Amino acid sequence: MTRRHAVVAGAGIGGLSAAVALHRRGWEVTVCERAAEPSAVGAGIVLAPNALRAYEAIGFDAARATGNATPAAMDLRRPGGRLLSRADAAALAARYGRPPLAVYRPALAAALTAELPEGTVRYGTAVTAVDDADGGPVVHTPAGALAPDLVIAADGIHSPIRRQYFPAHPGLHHSGETAWRTVLAAGGPPVRAAAETWGRGERFGVVPLADGRVYLYATALAPEGYRPADVRAELLRRYGTWHDPIPALLERIDPAAVLQHDLYDLAAPLPRFHRGRLAWLGDAAHAMTPNLGQGGCQAVEDAAVLAHLLEGAGVRAALAAYSAARHARTDSLRIRSRRAGRVAALRHPLAVAARDLAIRATPPRATRRALDGLFGGFVLPDHP
């Protein structure tokens, strides 16, 4: 029996997760990645309980593959250090079956790649176009054309395949913020809890990773394209007087290892996540701001649902079912993340004071309900 063949455009977390999910189900997979090699510089990602359940459905143990780094708690603080709220990891594990897992992105990508046959991932091979012919899709690359049974567009937030097939879509919406991300090597004082600190139009996050490494991220209101000449000086100016351990962590950063990106989401939802034998996944389908920490997690959910549906139906029927199953959830999180970002980025002193008071006054029951929609929302749909 001829094995079905899938081409995945993009070797990010979503694309690699989809490749592993399909490979585990007997598909031949080719992953085309435009970058010449895996990135040597990366950031962190917190795999929330919903993403870990999706990985279980795929058959991939993220904790065993990348190291088990579970922060003791996830705190929200003011720049002076005052605690606004806390989510205890043990309580999250009791409610959702597992606590969040903090992972170094390059380590996760390497672990996923190791699950695939050698040669599956082709670096330096960009997908330049996809023809959705009646007889099946044709994928064009500089190395030649491929004619698979299925194409997965996991080509990121600026997805060329999305632009090709949805030319009337308004594209990306700039949130008004820029973000810096970096990972510190092990060797400094240990960081036990993850924390995000909210100031006035600025935020700073600290997440302990496996092996003593620490993932740092920061956001600030800034014009689109803003790039400071001296990133260390910029970060120290903005966050150097905030509570411990932020100043000491900033002193340890390597400016060459700091990533900076403006924050975008889709200006409007795509009308659907499929066309014929072509499916969109992750940021290519539903790019969202990182305010809920769900961008990568939703890509993993996409991969699990897509592979699951392809087990019980033909490609076209499975992709239609995938689009129907994923559209409402991902778009609700896109909108919710945008709204959360607006609240976090408030800068007027009175608005900030009111926000912080509201957070401290929120009853635990309301907080649990909000987290239920994130962490408890992953389900595998019925086969079509």
Side-chain angles (χ1 to χ4, degrees), residues 185-191 212 252:
V191 176
R252 294 177 53 204

Side-chain angles (χ1 to χ4, degrees), residues 203-240:
R203 287 175 282 169
F204 197 95
V206 179
V207 181
L209 302 176
D211 303 323
R213 290 177 297 187
V214 182
Y215 169 41
L216 306 181
Y217 63 90
T219 71
L221 293 171
E224 194 171 10
Y226 172 74
R227 298 293 183 271
D230 187 333
V231 67
R232 180 193 293 276
E234 176 81 357
L235 295 175
L236 285 170
R237 177 182 68 82
R238 290 181 179 273
Y239 312 102

Side-chain angles (χ1 to χ4, degrees), residues 70-92:
T70 299
M74 301 173 70
D75 294 342
L76 180 60
R77 295 185 178 273
R78 291 282 296 128
R82 186 177 188 181
L83 184 68
L84 295 175
S85 69
R86 167 169 288 176
D88 181 74
L92 292 175

Side-chain angles (χ1 to χ4, degrees), residues 31 47 65 73 89 94 172 187 200 218 225 238 244 253 260 274 298 314 325 359:
V31 181
L47 296 173
L172 298 177
R200 293 169 50 187
R238 290 181 179 273
D244 290 334
I253 66 169
Q260 183 178 358
H274 78 289
Q298 289 305 303
I359 293 170

Side-chain angles (χ1 to χ4, degrees), residues 291-333:
N291 303 302
L292 300 179
Q294 280 290 311
C297 295
Q298 289 305 303
V300 177
E301 285 193 16
D302 288 345
V305 169
L306 180 57
H308 166 74
L309 290 170
L310 283 163
E311 281 188 300
V315 171
R316 292 178 184 274
L319 297 196
Y322 160 76
S323 191
R326 298 297 298 154
H327 197 277
R329 173 162 168 78
T330 56
D331 195 55
S332 69
L333 292 179

Side-chain angles (χ1 to χ4, degrees), residues 113-193:
T113 302
E115 297 289 320
L116 299 168
E118 187 176 353
T120 296
V121 183
R122 301 181 183 179
Y123 287 98
T125 306
V127 172
T128 56
V130 177
D131 293 336
D132 185 27
D134 292 338
V138 177
V139 178
H140 298 277
T141 78
L146 300 167
D149 302 286
L150 165 68
V151 179
I152 299 175
D155 51 345
I157 191 169
H158 299 287
S159 171
I161 303 175
R162 183 183 66 226
R163 293 197 301 269
Q164 178 187 350
Y165 280 93
F166 298 100
H169 187 273
L172 298 177
H173 160 263
H174 181 230
S175 69
E177 292 183 281
T178 193
W180 297 272
R181 300 178 177 91
T182 194
V183 172
L184 302 181
V191 176
R192 303 298 183 192

